[in-house]
Amino acid sequence: GAVVSQHPSRVICKSGTSVKIECRSLDFQATTMFWYRQFPKQSLMLMATSNEGSKATYEQGVEKDKFLINHASLTLSTLTVTSAHPEDSSFYICSAPAPGLQETQYFGPGTRLLVL
Amino acid sequence: QKEVEQDPGPLSVPEGAIVSLNCTYSNSAFQYFMWYRQYSRKGPELLMYTYSSGNKEDGRFTAQVDKSSKYISLFIRDSQPSDSATYLCAMSPWGAAGNKLTFGGGTRVLVKP
């Protein structure tokens, strides 16, 4: 199947710093990517929809100034957690629509963020 | 009430048994249904995708959708210890490619050798 990668896989940072997470579609182009957050033993919660060439669409309750999304190219979307705090510690996962199989999405391996 | 309900488990079965998983939902607009498997600290992996009502089989996996009851199921035959994971159902009204998915909470499955 289609491959979506994320970098880094794990990051530990101090409170107040900013962290950038990359999501790449390795062998296909994606005009849309999705960013999810998952807390331990909980399901995925959609944070925002990343659109290449335009602003991201954020879900209700997600602070767009805190979670900056940039869809720089057809294969790369980035999520920047600004001024991170311990409550931002979570598992962040991106997804992209599968090429040729228009009704499904493929997910990245996730990035675990720990804010001290 | 959540849009998609899924028993969190854990569901423990002996190796070789049939694993039965299900989700119920409240939004009658959902037409596209997916099952994902997620190993600990990994991203979800697509297992099955179905559109509207009916059954779909792929190897050891069978997905069923009953839209009249707003109920979907996933069956895993001849379960293996490697099937131990969390299984997430997901659904969407218009097709998942460019639209957001609504997930169930996930069911943790443990297949004991």
Side-chain angles (χ1 to χ4, degrees), chain B residues 41-93:
Chain B
R41 302 188 178 187
K42 300 291 184 183
E45 170 193 10
L46 179 67
L47 286 177
M48 298 286 284
Y49 145 74
T50 53
Y51 167 68
S52 195
S53 288
N55 295 354
K56 185 174 183 179
E57 188 173 319
D58 184 1
R60 296 186 296 116
F61 300 94
T62 299
Q64 293 183 348
V65 174
D66 182 349
K67 289 187 66 180
S68 62
S69 302
K70 298 189 180 66
Y71 185 92
I72 68 171
S73 302
L74 177 71
F75 300 97
I76 308 173
R77 292 182 297 280
D78 188 24
S79 58
Q80 305 295 313
S82 59
D83 294 326
S84 298
T86 296
Y87 290 80
L88 299 157
C89 63
M91 43 198 81
S92 175

Side-chain angles (χ1 to χ4, degrees), chain A residues 38 43 59 97 102-103 105 108, chain B residues 36 38 49 95-97 99-100 104:
Chain A
Q38 186 177 34
S43 191
E59 295 299 300
Q102 292 303 305
E103 311 310 331
Q105 295 177 19
Chain B
Y36 287 87
Q38 187 177 25
Y49 145 74
N99 300 286
K100 67 177 184 179

Side-chain angles (χ1 to χ4, degrees), chain A residues 10 32 34 36 38 41-44 46 49 59 91 93 97 101-110 112, chain B residues 32 34 36 38 40-46 49 88 94-101 103-106 108:
Chain A
R10 178 182 293 187
T32 300
F34 300 91
Y36 294 84
Q38 186 177 34
K41 297 187 179 181
Q42 294 188 27
S43 191
L44 283 75
L46 181 67
T49 302
E59 295 299 300
F91 194 49
I93 309 174
L101 193 63
Q102 292 303 305
E103 311 310 331
T104 60
Q105 295 177 19
Y106 283 96
F107 285 81
R112 187 162 299 281
Chain B
Y32 297 85
M34 286 134 279
Y36 287 87
Q38 187 177 25
S40 180
R41 302 188 178 187
K42 300 291 184 183
E45 170 193 10
L46 179 67
Y49 145 74
L88 299 157
W94 308 286
N99 300 286
K100 67 177 184 179
L101 302 178
F103 282 87
R108 192 158 63 93

Side-chain angles (χ1 to χ4, degrees), chain A residues 8-24:
Chain A
S9 59
R10 178 182 293 187
V11 58
I12 301 173
C13 69
K14 294 182 179 180
S15 183
T17 60
S18 294
V19 175
K20 179 184 285 187
I21 302 170
E22 294 185 347
C23 177
R24 292 182 185 272

